[in-house]
Amino acid sequence: MKIGIIGSGYVGLVTGTCLAHLGHKVTCIDQDRRKIQTLKKGKIPFYEPGLFEMVRENVAAKRLSFSTEISSVVNRCEVLFICVHTPPKPDGEADLSFVEKVARQIAIHLRKYCLIVEKSTVPVETGEWVRRTIKRNVKKGVHFDVASNPEFLREGSAIHDFLQPDRIVIGVSSERAEKIFRSLYSPLKAPMIVTDIKSAELIKHAANSFLATKISFANAVSRVCDAVGADIEKVALGMGLDPRIGKQFLKAGIGFGGSCFPKDVGAFLHISEKLGARFELLADVLRINETQARYFFEKIKNSMKNLRGKTVGVLGLAFKPDTDDMRSAPSIPIIQMLQKEGVRVKAYDPQAVSKAAEILQNVDYTATPYEAVHGAHAVAVLTEWSEFLNLDWGRIKKLMPGHFFFDGRNMFQPAEMKKNGFRYFSVGRPSA
Ligand code: UDX
């Protein structure tokens, strides 16, 4: 099938590339000329494992191309995916101005039937609003369908998540649209949930909010564990082995970040209130998350007492491993709080340093973890990159004048770190 992807950010580029990999002919559009130039040169503007190779293969096979012009794809494609940003406004409401602009542009150029799909995470009823916007602006007599097909991609494993999904959710209002989706995704083996458009929109918001709730729940329990000297890792395992609860997303730490959870939970809270069904629980989920970084910072402050003039070696900056994404990374407030107390921060991350440097000033970024901890009074692990598991902690201890170790991701065993000579603190676990 011929597919147009409008918005070549993270979701758009992964979706377009994977659809090309399935054999479709895909054009990825973006109004940002620099981004399209970069992509045309075979470069990817962010780090995602396996994506670079897959883009290269599909460009070479002439299944994937890039353009800045929406008009160039509208009448050549059977399906158009809207993958533009829906950033949060200050009150949490999703800003749909990019979606609206794209809907108008599609309408102006559309001359024959097309399935227009919202892939960006949008508040419930956006599909209906997109349909009305296109209807108002399209040439009389031109037919189209609007549908919702939310993505569930995780950064760092996006290609796997696309090609081996747990489920494919499509919200449609016609048999024709459903048939197109079935043909589009026929190479994928996954259950297809076919719903009305509003239910599909809600599935995405509800799923992300539920996952975020699990994390905040674990973080809240971890504080109780700290208060009594219990172990959150054991508590989470004991809870999670009940299949009704499930083990995943119960990992306590310094809070969730990224481009989705903070934004989507806020947007869901906002739309629920607007619809007169305020989802109060979500306000608490956000509050727990927002205070978790401070909670961790206070652990550092209370243990080290006087922070002024001290050096902290930070390991990991990205909001999670296997990505260079710094959006809403909990490392940002933690480092800023440390700096405010007069701490010198040195930091290492395998991928995120250049993005971090745009946000966090006065940090000494280093090329290796060993340089980051050299001369430090404390180590702070803020992202659980697997390469940290293989570090030579004996060597690290010798490089440090101090012996404090703050593990924001519960990556290490307290007893082992004690053996390595550290005063080890983590989240919701007794120190050894
Ligand atoms: C998320 C959803 O998982 C995905 O389905 C959706 O399409 C986009 O949003 P992503 O933001 O890439 O994906 O990351 P995810 O792996 O879900 O982690 C989100 C944040 O939660 C990270 O900061 C991570 O460190 C944190 N997290 C995750 C925890 O603190 N504890 C956990 O148990 C799991």
Side-chain angles (χ1 to χ4, degrees):
M1 292 171 88
K2 292 202 176 77
I3 317 286
I5 304 281
I6 302 173
S8 301
Y10 189 83
V11 170
L13 191 58
V14 172
T15 303
T17 308
C18 288
L19 286 170
H21 177 78
L22 296 182
H24 301 297
K25 205 160 165 75
V26 180
T27 309
C28 289
I29 308 287
D30 205 290
Q31 61 173 8
D32 181 343
R33 288 181 185 281
R34 272 228 321 258
K35 187 188 282 178
I36 292 298
Q37 283 311 323
T38 308
L39 288 165
K40 280 186 169 169
K41 282 185 203 145
K43 290 191 198 138
I44 310 288
F46 51 84
Y47 173 71
E48 176 64 31
L51 187 61
F52 169 75
E53 295 79 1
M54 200 181 258
V55 167
R56 203 174 42 183
E57 252 170 54
N58 284 285
V59 168
K62 300 208 179 319
R63 285 190 299 262
L64 182 61
S65 59
F66 304 99
S67 167
T68 49
E69 298 302 327
I70 289 191
S71 58
S72 70
V73 291
V74 169
N75 292 308
R76 275 199 290 116
C77 292
E78 292 145 277
V79 188
L80 289 173
F81 281 94
I82 301 180
C83 301
V84 293
H85 294 302
T86 52
K89 293 183 187 171
D91 63 354
E93 184 180 6
D95 177 354
L96 297 177
S97 54
F98 297 111
V99 176
E100 181 171 16
K101 189 174 160 202
V102 164
R104 279 176 198 278
Q105 281 176 308
I106 293 173
I108 290 165
H109 297 291
L110 198 65
R111 293 289 178 273
K112 64 177 193 47
Y113 176 87
C114 185
L115 174 61
I116 297 146
V117 184
E118 39 171 39
K119 194 83 177 158
S120 311
T121 303
V122 289
V124 63
E125 293 187 317
T126 302
E128 181 46 32
W129 174 76
V130 167
R131 194 193 63 75
R132 280 201 307 266
T133 307
I134 298 179
K135 188 91 199 149
R136 263 203 310 275
N137 293 284
V138 78
K139 198 167 184 265
K140 231 174 159 195
V142 176
H143 294 288
F144 65 93
D145 267 308
V146 169
S148 164
N149 173 214
E151 52 79 25
F152 301 98
L153 311 175
R154 288 165 301 174
E155 294 186 23
S157 56
I159 290 177
H160 169 272
D161 292 347
F162 189 98
L163 297 175
Q164 273 126 31
D166 309 314
R167 78 289 204 199
I168 296 167
V169 174
I170 58 165
V172 288
S173 57
S174 78
E175 271 178 33
R176 186 174 187 177
E178 179 180 341
K179 242 170 113 180
I180 294 174
F181 274 121
R182 288 202 182 276
S183 147
L184 183 75
Y185 288 123
S186 59
L188 298 182
K189 305 269 163 291
M192 189 174 265
I193 316 287
V194 184
T195 75
D196 58 283
I197 298 174
K198 289 178 198 169
S199 301
E201 290 168 336
L202 275 175
I203 287 171
K204 173 70 197 209
H205 259 164
N208 269 2
S209 296
F210 189 76
L211 291 169
T213 302
K214 284 188 86 174
I215 300 170
S216 276
F217 192 95
N219 283 330
V221 176
S222 81
R223 298 189 201 179
V224 180
C225 287
D226 271 339
V228 293
D231 185 340
I232 182 64
E233 295 292 312
K234 303 266 163 58
V235 175
L237 181 66
M239 288 167 61
L241 284 173
D242 181 334
R244 291 171 302 175
I245 297 175
K247 279 194 294 188
Q248 293 189 50
F249 280 69
L250 282 181
K251 188 109 184 99
I254 49 178
F256 55 77
S259 66
C260 288
F261 285 174
K263 168 173 88 75
D264 292 355
V265 178
F268 198 19
L269 178 61
H270 190 279
I271 190 80
S272 66
E273 188 163 14
K274 202 166 156 188
L275 293 168
R278 185 173 158 87
F279 199 159
E280 190 59 38
L281 172 66
L282 299 183
D284 257 345
V285 168
L286 289 175
R287 193 186 49 76
I288 292 167
N289 196 56
E290 281 155 16
T291 50
Q292 194 68 6
R294 172 164 287 281
Y295 179 76
F296 185 70
F297 159 75
E298 275 165 7
K299 232 176 224 265
I300 301 178
K301 192 174 168 190
N302 295 338
S303 319
M304 292 180 73
K305 303 283 187 278
N306 187 8
L307 287 177
R308 191 152 298 279
K310 297 277 178 10
T311 299
V312 173
V314 168
L315 299 183
L317 294 160
F319 84 97
K320 67 172 199 177
D322 297 321
T323 175
D324 61 353
D325 200 338
M326 284 296 294
R327 285 175 288 179
S328 299
S331 63
I332 299 170
I334 293 171
I335 289 175
Q336 285 170 340
M337 284 184 265
L338 287 170
Q339 288 179 324
K340 228 172 160 184
E341 293 286 322
V343 169
R344 174 186 177 210
V345 176
K346 297 175 82 183
Y348 166 78
D349 188 285
Q351 294 293 341
V353 163
S354 63
K355 291 206 170 144
E358 290 168 17
I359 304 167
L360 289 161
Q361 278 83 44
N362 301 320
V363 172
D364 295 340
Y365 295 103
T366 65
T368 69
Y370 296 100
E371 285 168 68
V373 297
H374 195 180
H377 301 90
V379 183
V381 174
L382 303 186
T383 314
E384 68 276 37
W385 285 94
S386 58
E387 69 171 68
F388 298 157
L389 291 169
N390 304 318
L391 291 177
D392 180 346
W393 293 106
R395 179 178 159 201
I396 285 182
K397 180 70 197 51
K398 282 194 198 120
L399 292 170
M400 293 173 53
H403 59 279
F404 285 100
F405 194 121
F406 300 98
D407 180 356
R409 300 292 187 167
N410 289 355
M411 266 192 104
F412 301 99
Q413 290 314 315
E416 231 167 83
M417 282 303 160
K418 191 180 174 188
K419 244 197 271 161
N420 285 321
F422 291 105
R423 274 196 70 194
Y424 175 83
F425 299 87
S426 50
V427 182
R429 296 191 302 170
S431 310

